[in-house]
Amino acid sequence: MVTIIVLAALVIGFFIFASLYTDYAWFAQLGFQQVLTTRWIAGTLMFLAGFLGMAVPVFLSIGLAFRYRPVYAKLNSQLDRYQQVIEPLRRAVMIGIPVVLGIFAGLSTSGRWSMVLEYFNRTPFGKTDPQFGLDIGFYVFELPFWRSIVAYSSAVVLIAGLAALAACYLYGALRFGGREVRISRAARIQLAVTAALYIALQAVSLWLDQYAALTKSNSLITGAQYTEVNAVIPGREIMAGIAAIVAILFIVTAIIGRWRISIVGTGLLLVAAIVIGGIYPWIVQRLQVKPSERTYESAYIERNIKATRDAYGVSDVKEQNYDATTEASSGALAQDAQTTANIRLIDPKIVSDTFSQLQQYRQYYQFPDELDVDRYDVKGETEDTVIAVRDIDLDGLSSAANTQYNRAFVYTHGYGVTAAFGNQRASDGKPVFLESGIPSNGALGDFQQRVYFGETSPAYSIVGAPKGSKDVELDYPSGSDDDNGGNATTTYSGDGGPSVGNFFNRLVYAAKFQSEQVLLSDAVNKDSQILYDRDPITRVQKVAPYLTVDSDAYPAIVDHRIQWVVDGYTTSDAYPYSQSQSLSDSIAGSESSAYRTDQVNYIRNSVKATVDAYTGKVTLYAWDTKDPVLKTWEKIFPTSVKSVSSMSAELLDHVRYPTDLFKVQRSILGTYHVTNANSFYSGDDAWNTPQEPTTTGGTDSDASAADTSTTTNALGAQTTTASKANLQDPYYLTMKVPGQETAYNLYTTYIPQQSAGANNRNVLTGYLAADSDAGGAGKGKKASGYGKLTLLTMPKTDNIPGPAQVQNLFNSDTTVSQELNILKRGNSTVKQGNLLTLPVGGGFLYVQPVYVQSTSSGSYPLLQKVLVAFGDKIAFEDTLDEALNSLFGGDSGAAAGDSDASGSGSGSGSSDSDSGSSGSGSDSDTGSGSTGGTSGSGATGNDALQQALSDANDALQDRQQAYADNDLVAAAEADKRLQEAIEAATAAEDGS
């Protein structure tokens, strides 16, 4: 048995050692070993402090009670039996109990290493709170530390006191006889002093609680309101004083032996807690504040507004009135020609299947479900681009190829990127690629195309070999190397992972991944490396545990390499008077809950990080150099973050304003664009982000549709939440916001705040845009306009249609509905893309691409139509350019990016796509020649075409009803009429 226990302990010890060793090897390979060792040292010291802080006082408390026990005390028979049972184990109990309690305390405190390091390296904010005049850093760094110290000390003293009480009773120092309580002098001193310490700690806790009131979430605002300031905070000061006096009374009891004075003092403390801490604040709130709440709370609402706007970085938002017109006049877009030319038609949420069918090439590659949007310089012009990495997908391997050897040594990496113009389309509806093929070629130039570190990379791969060795890794399908089945092969030559070139490293990594391949395979050699933890977000989170990492990493071609760009945030939940909200709920677009564990009320985009897709190298850049939280962590990890001055000009060209931060800020500005306390209190100008119109169908009926989102919190914790509302995403577009220069912007819209059961109005009330252009100023210099927030506010008397209204206008228009039905005929489906909102032509232009996809295998969405709206007028054409001209009286005054929609869609640098890809087939292709423009009334100007469409719609409805009635004869007749109507529509359109 002993041998088995020893062997089990050795095995467990080895696995623990393997975990620690491999962690260090991973961090050391990246050059961030200081981060890990600092965490280890801080965590170990915190464990020891927690262990000793609990174990020693409890041990001393039990030891003192035993040592000064009354030797000749007369005990009852029950206590005698207890002593007889315990006595043989007394030493083990006296040592074991403190040790066990100490271990639990040490484990609890070791996780608080970050708070302690922040305290000892704290940086002042340079701003003070409006109540006590203390620096904000006191609340962020110092108050949490001291409150934790007091809470821990209180727990230690309480447990030590209970242990002493039990020992005193067991050994006769404390005896109960009827109504009489007898206590020895030594026990009296020990218990009284322990009680004095505990009450004194409560006095300190009460004193600190008055500061914590400034970050407490109340029903109206976060922060101390009138009742807290005038009743609760003074009450806590008084209570702290009373508690200090009671602690002194217990010291007096220890000296003179009279318990009555300390017991009376404790009773008075409890009564004071009820009266001063509960009844008096209730009276003030109920009888004084509530009848005139707006008057009393006005000053505190102003504090909350100012603090919230500062803490979320929206205090400098430029707000301007925008009296938008709803009249679509000829030539209205002449002043917005650059914006019009950059309107994005390619929806990154829809075209993933299109990219896959045209550019995936093999089943073991994949593109993400949602592609990324960036911008690139193409022939001297900045082009908005939809881009995706062709990443590896081991789940796509056939059953024969899906071996452990292939997964570890052969299929190790993805290859290249595919990029398409965001504002262009080919005549057949395919994207126009500016970078395509495998290997990729096109407008993005030469770059290292192998993707060893991507969002879907395998859990681990073993790569590398001596020079002259045979290549093992599949590189890409070339169609020319017969020895490898038409595949090019390669050997990794970078420095991307720890070495597994010796037996010991192979052994520990075999234990880590529980794979004999690492230990036994002959493919492992002296130059082998093991690549793992390859997701860019995971790598950044591990090397910067103090950051909350953005949920989306996006690829950029920078300095001839594929670099993943990741945004990192420093956050806090302790900024006084700033409104608290759930970070995950704000990002996911769901209703915020006060019970979430990721509540924040301060956020900064403090770090921009890059991860090299070939080497996995992580580089952190200090983006917000004024952030005190980042400065604090730079003191803790002094070599981990580089200056923004070391960022290349090309990298800065691809840095953008982060989406998650923008979502948090738009959530705050929905309420906090109001800076007047009275208006804020009344809530008469509160806004919401509209729901995604393409999923709600233009109504609020589907607001409860479930969605999920996972957010990585500070120090690596992840929270998965269910979203109750599918809010419209913000979009990146190159455009000119009124009053600003043309720039790459991130924008969102606002509608009035909706309430259940109310007569909701889905009209535009605001339009928020963030300048996302960081480049153009040279190496290490941020563009002066980057990060500027512009908020366009609509006059309250205006009725500018919101996204849901416009979507409903599209869907309910008779002509549009008929044409969509034609596009849906047979085995085709219609997908309506992102509904873009642009402040052009003196009003708001809505643009929505319409995709058609066959339901047959191997099909993919093709862009066939474009819907546009301005005011209550709409148009529906084959191209955006035609639709705009139709909408604006025959001449919009500006050309769209698809004004010359021709070619095969392969664009510059394209290559042959998968031979098996058939697109959406004839079912979708026939829709490309459908009708012209339409206004809100549905008139097209072609009576024959209008009649044919009407007949087709009637026939389609008759067919559906016939199938519902199981009347196959009627269904066949309806099919015949539908075909005749389609032929008539085609002839009428050709004749027009």
Side-chain angles (χ1 to χ4, degrees), residues 568-584:
Y569 311 111
T570 47
T571 62
S572 174
D573 62 353
Y575 197 102
Y577 274 106
S578 176
Q579 190 67 25
S580 180
Q581 64 175 354
S582 166
L583 184 62
S584 58

Side-chain angles (χ1 to χ4, degrees), residues 376-379 387 415-419 434-437 439-449 556-562 650 654 908-909:
Y376 286 87
D377 185 273
V378 180
K379 298 180 180 179
I387 187 171
Y415 203 94
V417 300
T418 297
L434 59 95
E435 187 76 22
S436 59
S440 302
N441 61 90
L444 302 186
D446 296 327
F447 57 94
Q448 172 58 261
Q449 299 193 30
I557 309 302
V558 176
D559 302 321
H560 306 291
R561 307 187 77 86
I562 301 174
E650 192 170 353
H654 295 281
S908 62

Side-chain angles (χ1 to χ4, degrees), residues 17 93 113 288 298 400 485 631 665 667 752 785 790 831 874 919 949:
F17 169 78
V93 170
W113 64 269
Q288 183 178 359
S298 178
K631 289 181 179 180
Q665 290 176 326
S667 175
T790 301
K831 296 182 178 181
I874 69 173
L949 291 173

Side-chain angles (χ1 to χ4, degrees), residues 39 198 267 278 366 370 409 489 654 709 748 760 820 876 884 908:
R39 290 187 62 175
Y198 185 78
Q366 66 176 325
E370 182 175 343
F409 300 101
T489 55
H654 295 281
S709 174
T748 191
N760 296 331
L820 290 179
F876 190 33
L884 292 178
S908 62

Side-chain angles (χ1 to χ4, degrees), residues 539-590:
R539 294 178 78 80
V540 173
Q541 185 68 79
K542 288 186 69 172
V543 303
Y546 51 91
L547 293 178
T548 297
V549 180
D550 195 275
S551 58
D552 180 37
Y554 62 95
I557 309 302
V558 176
D559 302 321
H560 306 291
R561 307 187 77 86
I562 301 174
Q563 296 279 0
W564 294 98
V565 183
V566 183
D567 286 284
Y569 311 111
T570 47
T571 62
S572 174
D573 62 353
Y575 197 102
Y577 274 106
S578 176
Q579 190 67 25
S580 180
Q581 64 175 354
S582 166
L583 184 62
S584 58
D585 284 346
S586 298
I587 294 171
S590 59

Side-chain angles (χ1 to χ4, degrees), residues 588-900:
S590 59
E591 297 177 4
S592 184
S593 170
Y595 300 102
R596 297 288 190 202
T597 59
D598 63 342
Q599 296 286 319
V600 301
N601 64 3
Y602 172 87
I603 186 170
R604 289 291 186 272
N605 179 207
S606 53
V607 170
K608 299 286 186 182
T610 61
V611 178
D612 192 294
Y614 185 72
T615 65
K617 179 182 179 182
V618 179
T619 308
L620 307 177
Y621 298 98
W623 189 250
D624 189 341
T625 56
K626 296 181 180 180
D627 176 31
V629 180
L630 178 62
K631 289 181 179 180
T632 295
W633 283 103
E634 285 183 301
K635 296 176 186 176
I636 298 170
F637 304 130
T639 61
S640 64
V641 183
K642 292 185 177 182
S643 169
V644 69
S645 62
S646 60
M647 295 181 74
S648 70
E650 192 170 353
L651 174 58
L652 284 165
D653 287 340
H654 295 281
V655 167
R656 68 188 191 189
Y657 201 81
T659 305
D660 284 357
L661 174 63
F662 190 71
K663 287 181 178 180
V664 172
Q665 290 176 326
R666 77 173 179 181
S667 175
I668 285 296
L669 280 173
T671 305
Y672 286 88
H673 68 277
V674 177
T675 56
N676 178 273
N678 291 337
S679 178
F680 183 95
Y681 177 84
S682 64
D684 60 353
D685 195 23
W687 301 342
N688 275 345
T689 304
Q691 294 180 33
E692 175 55 53
T694 58
T695 58
T696 61
T699 70
D700 295 328
S701 59
D702 295 332
S704 61
D707 194 7
T708 60
S709 174
T710 301
T711 301
T712 306
N713 301 323
L715 307 179
Q718 288 191 331
T719 302
T720 302
T721 58
S723 172
K724 293 184 179 180
N726 184 21
L727 300 185
Q728 189 176 33
D729 283 334
Y731 296 118
Y732 291 100
L733 286 175
T734 296
M735 63 180 179
K736 181 179 181 181
V737 177
Q740 307 290 325
E741 296 296 324
T742 300
Y744 189 63
N745 280 279
L746 179 62
Y747 83 85
T748 191
T749 57
Y750 288 108
I751 60 174
Q753 192 174 82
Q754 313 292 308
S755 57
N759 185 18
N760 296 331
R761 298 173 63 244
N762 203 300
V763 297
L764 276 188
T765 54
Y767 187 93
L768 178 66
D771 189 329
S772 296
D773 263 336
K779 178 183 177 181
K781 297 179 180 178
K782 288 188 283 187
S784 58
Y786 173 85
K788 289 184 178 179
L789 297 173
T790 301
L791 179 62
L792 304 180
T793 59
M794 313 306 128
K796 294 183 179 180
T797 56
D798 282 3
N799 285 297
I800 309 299
Q805 281 191 5
V806 171
Q807 189 69 61
N808 186 62
L809 192 63
F810 288 158
N811 296 344
S812 62
D813 183 86
T814 305
T815 304
V816 172
S817 177
Q818 291 170 347
E819 294 192 44
L820 290 179
N821 284 334
I822 291 177
L823 294 174
K824 294 176 185 176
R825 73 183 185 279
N827 294 320
S828 295
T829 59
V830 171
K831 296 182 178 181
Q832 290 172 272
N834 41 213
L835 182 60
L836 305 178
T837 309
L838 298 100
V840 296
F844 284 99
L845 171 68
Y846 286 92
V847 177
Q848 182 176 60
V850 177
Y851 291 82
V852 179
Q853 181 175 4
S854 169
T855 56
S856 60
S857 176
S859 66
Y860 51 87
L862 293 174
L863 177 58
Q864 298 290 0
K865 289 285 186 178
V866 181
L867 281 162
V868 294
F870 195 93
D872 61 355
K873 186 178 181 182
I874 69 173
F876 190 33
E877 297 285 355
D878 292 343
T879 68
L880 174 59
D881 197 60
E882 293 171 355
L884 292 178
N885 286 333
S886 175
L887 185 67
F888 290 94
D891 180 16
S892 67
D898 66 343
S899 58
D900 185 21

Side-chain angles (χ1 to χ4, degrees), residues 136-190:
I136 303 299
F138 169 80
Y139 298 91
V140 175
F141 302 124
E142 299 181 47
L143 185 59
F145 175 80
W146 289 116
R147 294 188 78 193
S148 296
I149 292 291
V150 171
Y152 173 79
S153 301
S154 296
V156 170
V157 172
L158 180 62
I159 293 172
L162 292 174
L165 190 66
C168 288
Y169 176 72
L170 182 64
Y171 289 101
L174 179 64
R175 287 172 289 169
F176 298 92
R179 298 177 60 184
E180 185 179 13
V181 179
R182 293 180 178 273
I183 185 170
S184 68
R185 180 174 178 275
R188 183 195 75 220
I189 294 173
Q190 182 178 356

